[in-house]
Every structure is written in structure tokens, then in C-alpha cells.
Amino acid sequence: GLRVLEALAASGLRSVRFAREVPGLGAVVASDCSLRATELMARNVARNGVGGLVTPRLADARMLMYQSKAQREPFDVIDLDPYGSPTPFLDAAVQAVSEGGLLCVTCTDMAVMAGNSAETCYSKYGAVSLKGKFCHEMALRIVLHSLDLRANCYQRFVVPLLSVSADFYVRVFVRVFTGQAKVKASASKQALVFHCMGCGTHHLQHLGRATSHGSGDHVSPSSSFKYSAATGPPVGPTCEFCQQRHQVGGPVWAEPLHDPMFVEAVLAALERSPGRFSTEPRMRGMLSVIAEELSDVPLYYTLDGLSSTIRSNTLSLLQLRSALLHAGFRVSLSHACRNAVKTDAPPAVLWDIMRCWAKLHPVKRERLPDSSPAARILSVEPTLQASFALHEDANPSSRKRGLKRFPENPEAFWGPKARAKPGGGTAPSLQEKRERLQNKRTQQPDGARLKQFPCKRFKEGTCPQGEQCCYSHEP
């Protein structure tokens, strides 16, 4: 008897699939604010014979969710999959979902969350994004921080089940609970990120601290807690490895991204129904990598990032994993990046391993400026003697089995298409736009195609309209 809301349904495809493929549903509400979309939904629902379950609604998604809250008819599952950012709908969603209900949120504005527009990211999600190698996982943590922050306003909190970064979007599945006592612990789940602008080393600074009375720093679920501000920062004025300054990002979610038991249950369900989904190989591969991830290690480093910092050739994934395992640390892959490494080893150990690698594969230090991060890191002798011999656990299980973990794009220029034009119709594709605007300043085909660009010489007052100028002269 679950009540499901697809708040931005468009053609209603997902609602129809819910009704046809998910057993035990009580009702599915497919909502959209477009009259044309609602008419299409009604046709699709009738064509698929699911009119008894799916109800198309012409409504603003926010008003619909606020009404369900006011009428005390919450939804057990709310699915938000908008074009771009879901932030306008999050406040209503965390109120309209039932106790312990499921909230599914998709974000396709990856440029904003990956550091290209940090100020826009803050205005939407309440966090500053950073343009680092770990940007895709940081995007997931920014979304979870934003969800938890909005839920906290109503004495609610989120528990992530699964958080996925795939292709050009991120999608998170969280359960929402109510509890004033547990909401107090939310500050200790958020952290600022200090990211070195030179070598890329990152550190996390938690915003709060939760300690149990009489047990020191050990937090037990059955004990009473004391909440206080965290102490810090974890870094000095400059990076201890390359003496460069730090960027500060966040706050981000610093707790685990996934529920291991839930991930294993989904994998088991796939095993019980072989061939049910056409994307089953990809689902199994990605979920297997997620199951192998270190849940208590936020963010990651990349092989090319570590190697390019010291200007050396890139070591292989197995070599770096073996060196960390021989040194006594845990290590895993990340589903968010093909060549990423998550480890509980401190940054000093990572750079010692890279210094040992540079001794085996010498770097031309005479070409390195003295102030460069590579020169400063390599000028220090390693205190750890790294071993790059193959460790028995270096090759992860998902890699040994040859699972389809990081599939390639199905075609060139594959990704989100241009936004639909207001009033109907579609905007030109991204590839068409690239071809039309390529070499726009050096080539002058026909003037009609370049009039949208202002003439620089006209702005300066010197353009005589000579040489058949093709640019706009509008003020």
C-alpha cells in the first residue's frame, strides 16, 4: 500500500514503470505543471492499462507536497528528477515524505557542484564546491548536506541508502526520520574541506563534535551525548608538503554515503532475477564497486593527480594499492572515478610512497622550479620505504571478475541535451551549437549567423562597417 509521488513526471514514463514493475503499490501520483505533459501522461497511463494505480495531476510540485503535509497524507516514496537542480523542491519534499519514507533525488547541474560556479553552488545547496580531482564524490556529499540541512529545520534527519555518481548526474536515495535528539548530531556529520591549491592534498574539518558522557570520545547509541563545537583547523596557514595556500569548501556530508546492508540486498535481488533488466551488467558492476568502497573515508585521490604533482610517470593502480596495503593501511576504489583511490592512510604516507616511486623512476629535478610543489615534495627524504611488490589483496574482487564497472558512453557527445524552449519546441543540440560557434572570431561566413555577437570595434567607436563586418552593432 505504498503511496508514490513522481513530482516532475513529464510524460509519466517512470510512474508507468512503477505501476507495472513494483509489486504492492497502493497509489502513484504523477504530477507536472504543464497542461500538455498532463495530457500526455493520461494517454500513456491509459495505453499501458495502469489507470487504477497512476493518477496524473496538473499541479505545482511544491504546492502538491505542501498540501499532502497539511492534510496529513504523506507519501512513502517521493521521486525528484528535474532538469538541472532539485533545490526548489527539497524543502517541501523533506516535509511531505512519511516517517522512514524514501526520498530519491537526481541532480544534473554537475558543473555547479563540480567547482565551476562555487558561488552558484552555495546559493542553491548551501555549500561551496571545489574544483578538485574528488569533485564527483564531493557533489554527492553536497547534495546529502543540503538534504539534511533542510530536514533539520523540521526536526528530521536523513539516512543515506545509496548515493551514485554516474555519467552526467548524481542520484541519492535517502530515508527521512523524525527525532529531535538525533537532529542534534547533524552538526558532527558535516565538515569543511581544506584543499591545497598546489599538491591537491585535502583535509576535513568537522563542524561539530558528539561525545558520550563518561566514555571519552567513544560514542555509544545507548548513552547520553554532549554536543559541542569542533576544534581545529587541521591545517596550518600553508600546506605542510608544498607550502601553498588552501581553498576552503563545503560544508559537505562527512558520514558514509551508502548503507552496506541495503547495497548487498540490491545485489542479491539482481542475482535472483537474472536478465530482468537490460542494464543488469552495469548495475551489478557499479553496485559491486560501491560495496567495496571504504565507507568511513570521505573523498579520494587519483593516480594521475598524484603522479602529475611530482612530475613523474603514472604508477599503476595495483602498484599504489600494493604499496598502501604493505604499509598496513586500507584501500579501495571509488565508483565515482575510474582511477581513484580511497585510503585511510594520512597524506604524509601517500607522499612518502610517491617519493619512493620517484626514486625508482627519476624525475628531472633540474627542470623543476624551486617553488613548485614537485620540487618541495621531492626535496624531503621519505621516512617510509614503500614496497611496490604485488600484494595478494591489491586486485579488488570486482576487477578480478571483470565486471562492467565504468562503462563508456554509448555514442560521441552523449549527455544532457539542451533545455526545451519556452512555449514549445526544442533548442538546438549541443553539437550543433558547437559547430555553429566554432572559430566565430576568425571566420566570417554569412552575417546573419554572427549578428548575435557584439562588434568590439564598434563598442570602441572605431568600426567603420568596413570589410563587411558580420557582428552586431546594437547598443
Side-chain angles (χ1 to χ4, degrees), residues 157-214:
F157 61 96
V158 302
V159 177
L161 294 180
L162 180 65
S163 308
V164 179
S165 173
D167 301 329
F168 52 86
Y169 65 91
V170 295
R171 184 161 171 83
V172 298
F173 302 84
V174 302
R175 297 184 69 185
V176 182
F177 295 93
T178 305
Q180 184 178 8
K182 291 190 176 182
V183 167
K184 294 179 180 179
S186 289
S188 60
K189 300 176 183 178
Q190 320 298 327
L192 297 173
V193 180
F194 288 82
H195 178 239
C196 176
M197 301 172 63
C199 63
T201 304
H202 57 259
H203 300 268
L204 266 67
Q205 168 65 64
H206 284 261
L207 297 183
R209 186 183 181 197
T211 55
S212 59
H213 291 297

